[in-house]
Amino acid sequence: MEAKIEIEREYNSAKDSGIKFIENGNHEKGFLHISYAARIAQSYPILPEYIDSELEFKLEEFVKASFPALQFNGPNKRVVFYNGQIVDSGALTEQYLDYLIFRKYNVLFIVPDLNNLKLGSRILSRISSEERIELFVPSNIDFFGKISSIRQKMLEFNASIGFLHFLPSDVVGFCSFSHTNGLIKYNIVHNDHTFWLGKKCSNFFIEFRKFGISIDIQRRGISMDKIRLLPFFPINEKEEFKGFPFNREGKIVGISGGNLYKYLMDPELKYFLEIIKMLKNNDNFIFCLCGSGKSIKIEQLFIDNGLTEQFFYLGQRSDFYSLVGECDIMFESYPFKGGLTPLFAIEQNVPVLGIGLKETASGTLEDLIGINGYTQPKNFDEFYLEGSELIVNKESRVMLAEKLKQTSMNRMDFIKGLDEILKGTANLDFKVANLEIDDDVIFNNYVNSNPRVSEYLMLLKLNVFKYNLRFMNKVQIFFKILVSYNVKMKTKGFVLLQFFKF
């Protein structure tokens, strides 16, 4: 596959350059290239191990050569909580923060850059109202300075426990928590399906579903005794419902939501073809789609099938949680699932329907929520049959909603589970299935959602290196992007915006 060869070549070049720069003492250039390599591996699944042990070894060696080991002996109620970025209702920051506040821990809350605070206004507000929490954001711009400042601050705070909530390419976080003694470090794995940095600097790994444990054991090479399982519960603001753009009376309303790339991973949009069959066979059925991204191809499919009175693209809705509660059926995204969206539905007694594909990194709903007695449809025929039954039969909807409600994904179960993890009494006797994922299928899904590989890699490089490239290098990349793949005017405008951010 030409695309995979190109991506692997770019990854290896960035990685090798990064290692060489670090070994030659040019740390900043080395970190930039390693960050770029990690971003590539996160964006396209080219590493079947989902980690790069050599890269982590080189970073660890740099830390050992550049900094003294950090010695910690703080009391049990003292925690350092590192977040690569904070996003309201995003990842798992709020769940763990809520726990630390509830259990009255003294917390050093670290975010490595001011820019990584922009999407977390609600989180910042909560932190500022808590006397036991200290926010620390290093003022340094360079990688080395950030790492040095964070390590010094952690040493002064002297915690006994560390929660590591990294971004997948978090070089600063990895180096800050490497070469330490006396600090028990729990890596909060919020993206089990992608590459990430963090194996060598963590003592334990908290996974939210069994699929992540399977990846850890069978691909990342992490031993079972270092893994903990803790399903998360949904955080939301429950904004007041803003209404439907149609008359709701007498209708059965289905809803699906997520970043649209999750649907566009299938260029044939086979999932929506099944939804279209349901719409055509049920005049009172309405299907709503929410999310950000390129919607034109999806919308046109419903227009071509004459379903403009039964299909509504609602875009991003700030009242999404409340919107889900007003619907009758939640349809999971396909071929890539979301972790949070089905929880919004289950919590509000709305049945959830999707397709459980073992060959992709999405897994199954029953694995995500940890229940027995229900198996998701495994193919389109089963999906269509169960969807049709839920549309016409209210009793079936109620029964499925009640069955899914058995999940342990609620706040108090989360608190109890984390208590047991920190006390060392967590149950480790859980069965994990052998992975059945198909690496080629997963890779093709990602390429399908973003087929302009060369253009994407150049944009990624421009983003990572924007403050460190010479002017003529920027110009060269800029014009390469403009001429590649006959870039459309809208994309040109985006590239131009990125260019003038320097």
Side-chain angles (χ1 to χ4, degrees):
M1 293 182 287
E2 291 184 10
K4 191 169 187 178
I5 292 172
E6 178 182 3
I7 296 166
E8 289 175 338
R9 182 170 57 243
E10 188 72 5
Y11 173 81
N12 290 325
S13 175
K15 170 187 167 180
D16 293 343
S17 295
I19 291 173
K20 287 179 181 178
F21 278 125
I22 286 179
E23 290 176 342
N24 293 331
N26 194 336
H27 305 138
E28 289 308 299
K29 279 193 174 181
F31 288 139
L32 279 169
H33 281 81
I34 289 174
S35 295
Y36 176 48
R39 290 279 297 275
I40 294 171
Q42 175 194 353
S43 301
Y44 292 104
I46 55 172
L47 300 178
E49 301 85 5
Y50 290 83
I51 59 167
D52 190 320
S53 296
E54 180 188 15
L55 200 57
E56 292 202 7
F57 174 78
K58 293 295 183 181
L59 287 173
E60 185 181 54
E61 288 297 298
F62 159 76
V63 175
K64 289 180 178 179
S66 304
F67 300 99
L70 294 180
Q71 303 289 336
F72 297 94
N73 58 0
N76 290 334
K77 284 286 188 175
R78 214 160 174 81
V79 170
V80 57
F81 186 15
Y82 177 98
N83 286 268
Q85 180 184 21
I86 58 173
V87 179
D88 292 337
S89 299
L92 299 176
T93 300
E94 289 171 282
Q95 286 86 346
Y96 283 82
L97 181 61
D98 177 81
Y99 172 86
L100 294 172
I101 292 172
F102 179 78
R103 289 300 188 210
K104 294 182 169 51
Y105 278 83
N106 292 303
V107 181
L108 175 62
F109 191 98
I110 300 175
V111 180
D113 195 280
L114 283 173
N115 289 323
N116 295 4
L117 301 173
K118 293 179 179 178
L119 300 177
S121 59
R122 188 173 74 230
I123 296 172
L124 288 175
S125 177
R126 188 167 192 193
I127 288 173
S128 66
S129 67
E130 296 290 336
E131 293 183 358
R132 296 176 184 270
I133 302 178
E134 177 185 358
L135 174 64
F136 178 70
V137 183
S139 58
N140 314 75
I141 297 176
D142 60 303
F143 285 91
F144 190 92
K146 287 180 183 295
I147 295 166
S148 181
S149 294
I150 291 172
R151 290 177 69 86
Q152 180 61 35
K153 185 66 178 180
M154 289 198 303
L155 185 64
E156 295 170 0
F157 186 76
N158 194 27
S160 61
I161 298 170
F163 284 127
L164 285 51
H165 195 230
F166 291 164
L167 293 172
S169 59
D170 206 332
V171 172
V172 171
F174 182 94
C175 293
S176 296
F177 284 90
S178 293
H179 199 29
T180 68
N181 297 312
L183 184 70
I184 303 175
K185 297 170 289 188
Y186 295 90
N187 192 314
I188 302 169
V189 183
H190 58 96
N191 54 324
D192 58 6
H193 61 284
T194 73
F195 166 93
W196 46 253
L197 294 171
K199 177 183 174 181
K200 290 185 70 65
C201 69
S202 308
N203 300 115
F204 298 98
F205 303 84
I206 303 178
E207 295 285 353
F208 65 86
R209 59 175 176 166
K210 290 182 180 179
F211 172 84
I213 296 176
S214 296
I215 288 282
D216 284 345
I217 295 171
Q218 299 170 40
R219 295 297 184 89
R220 294 188 176 106
I222 299 173
S223 60
M224 177 73 84
D225 63 316
K226 293 185 177 182
I227 302 170
R228 303 292 183 266
L229 176 63
L230 184 62
F232 62 88
F233 65 98
I235 295 283
N236 58 79
E237 281 297 277
K238 301 181 182 179
E239 185 174 328
E240 185 177 352
F241 177 54
K242 296 180 179 179
F244 290 112
F246 52 84
N247 183 357
R248 173 72 165 88
E249 186 176 356
K251 304 296 184 183
I252 301 300
V253 180
I255 188 168
S256 189
N259 192 307
L260 298 187
Y261 83 85
K262 295 178 179 180
Y263 304 90
L264 295 171
M265 282 182 166
D266 174 17
E268 299 177 28
L269 300 179
K270 296 186 293 292
Y271 182 73
F272 290 117
L273 293 177
E274 298 300 318
I275 298 291
I276 285 171
K277 284 165 57 179
M278 296 180 202
L279 291 169
K280 288 184 174 181
N281 291 330
N282 298 276
D283 292 339
N284 67 330
F285 177 46
I286 289 179
F287 181 74
C288 299
L289 178 64
C290 297
S292 61
K294 300 175 182 178
S295 65
I296 295 175
K297 183 177 180 180
I298 298 171
E299 290 186 83
Q300 191 61 50
L301 183 63
F302 287 90
I303 292 172
D304 292 344
N305 280 274
L307 294 169
T308 54
E309 298 298 316
Q310 289 179 266
F311 169 77
F312 294 87
Y313 174 60
L314 305 181
Q316 279 191 291
R317 291 276 295 247
S318 59
D319 64 336
F320 183 69
Y321 179 90
S322 300
L323 171 62
V324 169
E326 296 291 329
C327 296
D328 299 293
I329 309 168
M330 159 63 72
F331 291 84
E332 287 191 281
S333 54
Y334 174 92
F336 198 85
K337 296 174 180 288
L340 186 61
T341 302
L343 301 187
F344 284 174
I346 292 169
E347 194 173 69
Q348 299 179 88
N349 298 308
V350 176
V352 180
L353 178 64
I355 302 176
L357 295 176
K358 293 184 177 180
E359 67 266 24
T360 74
S362 285
T364 65
L365 180 65
E366 54 267 29
D367 175 38
L368 173 67
I369 63 178
I371 65 166
N372 298 314
Y374 174 72
T375 301
Q376 273 197 312
K378 300 181 182 68
N379 54 54
F380 287 112
D381 289 340
E382 292 180 5
F383 172 73
Y384 174 77
L385 290 174
E386 186 167 335
S388 299
E389 170 66 18
L390 292 174
I391 291 169
V392 302
N393 194 329
K394 182 177 180 180
E395 184 178 344
S396 295
R397 297 196 296 271
V398 171
M399 288 177 60
L400 179 55
E402 289 178 349
K403 190 172 292 184
L404 298 179
K405 196 76 171 181
Q406 298 172 27
T407 173
S408 62
M409 287 185 169
N410 61 65
R411 179 174 179 266
M412 291 314 298
D413 282 331
F414 181 88
I415 289 172
K416 179 183 176 182
L418 193 47
D419 280 343
E420 292 173 347
I421 288 173
L422 296 180
K423 290 176 184 176
T425 58
N427 178 23
L428 305 182
D429 186 24
F430 36 74
K431 295 182 180 180
V432 180
N434 288 327
L435 287 174
E436 299 179 36
I437 58 175
D438 187 318
D439 292 327
D440 290 336
V441 169
I442 296 172
F443 177 79
N444 288 332
N445 282 344
Y446 275 84
V447 172
N448 288 335
S449 68
N450 196 357
R452 297 172 183 250
V453 170
S454 298
E455 179 186 322
Y456 177 83
L457 292 174
M458 284 186 282
L459 280 171
L460 188 59
K461 179 180 284 189
L462 202 61
N463 180 266
V464 173
F465 290 90
K466 56 189 173 185
Y467 299 115
N468 296 273
L469 286 172
R470 293 179 179 178
F471 180 78
M472 287 310 299
N473 294 134
K474 298 174 188 176
V475 172
Q476 288 173 351
I477 294 175
F478 174 71
F479 280 106
K480 281 182 181 179
I481 295 172
L482 290 184
V483 300
S484 69
Y485 296 100
N486 296 316
V487 180
K488 296 179 181 179
M489 288 304 298
K490 184 176 180 181
T491 307
K492 288 181 181 179
F494 172 73
V495 175
L496 200 61
L497 179 63
Q498 294 292 316
F499 181 72
F500 284 112
K501 281 182 178 179
F502 304 135

